[in-house]
Amino acid sequence: MKWVFALFLLVPLVEIALFITVGGWLTLWPTLAIVVLTGVLGAFLVRWQGLGVLRDLQRAGTTGDPISPLAHGALILIGGFMLMLPGFFTDSLGFLLMVPPLRQILIGVLASRIKSGVVNGRGFAGQPRRPSAEADWVDAEFEEVAPDPKQVEPKSKWGSGSV
């Protein structure tokens, strides 16, 4: 969780520093134009590459494994989201996620770090099975108490009855 906090702290600081640096080189309006254009380009790239991934997914649905096109699609969405965020650092990361060979490398790295499990008699990925529903039973005694009719107001069909 510490690295998530570090990301939330560092990414805006890097973006602000890059805005100041690029704005000093190019002045305000060209800097803002670049930010807007990368957002528009990000939306275009998500649509263009997303349609390609949909075609791959349709082909994979009939002939092979749909995991790779789904992973590419997820990374394209993340990259497009990063391109639509205002900032040069997130734009750089977003553009990198739009490059198919780089996505393939990232998918390979992530896949090697994810442990996949097989459901067997012991449970998922060799973990012990969850206790059965019978283990959730609690043996207890109770006594039913009828409400006192003097203390309970009758409920009206139309509300509380008072105006």
Side-chain angles (χ1 to χ4, degrees):
M1 287 310 278
K2 291 180 184 179
W3 61 271
V4 174
F5 176 72
L7 279 177
F8 278 114
L9 184 65
L10 288 177
V11 170
L13 290 175
V14 169
E15 293 290 7
I16 290 169
L18 287 172
F19 269 123
I20 292 170
T21 305
V22 173
W25 291 334
L26 299 177
T27 69
L28 175 67
W29 295 111
T31 303
L32 291 178
I34 290 171
V35 170
V36 170
L37 286 175
T38 57
V40 171
L41 184 61
F44 171 76
L45 284 172
V46 166
R47 181 177 177 178
W48 178 56
Q49 289 197 3
L51 289 174
V53 167
L54 281 176
R55 282 191 297 275
D56 292 344
L57 189 58
Q58 287 173 341
R59 274 189 248 126
T62 59
T63 61
D65 183 28
I67 299 298
S68 181
L70 286 175
H72 279 278
L75 290 176
I76 287 170
L77 280 176
I78 292 169
F81 176 72
M82 293 179 106
L83 281 168
M84 289 181 217
L85 288 174
F88 294 105
F89 179 67
T90 53
D91 287 347
S92 301
L93 295 177
F95 278 124
L96 289 175
L97 286 176
M98 293 295 162
V99 179
L102 293 177
R103 275 197 317 264
Q104 190 62 44
I105 291 170
L106 183 60
I107 290 170
V109 168
L110 291 175
S112 69
R113 299 189 80 191
I114 295 174
K115 293 182 181 179
S116 64
V118 177
V119 176
N120 57 25
R122 290 203 41 171
F124 183 73
Q127 297 295 321
R129 284 189 140 195
R130 183 173 180 262
S132 65
E134 291 84 26
D136 292 336
W137 285 90
V138 176
D139 188 21
E141 294 182 21
F142 69 95
E143 178 182 339
E144 189 171 330
V145 178
D148 185 10
K150 296 176 191 172
Q151 294 179 353
V152 178
E153 289 184 31
K155 292 185 179 178
S156 169
K157 180 178 172 182
W158 303 103
S160 65
S162 61
V163 178

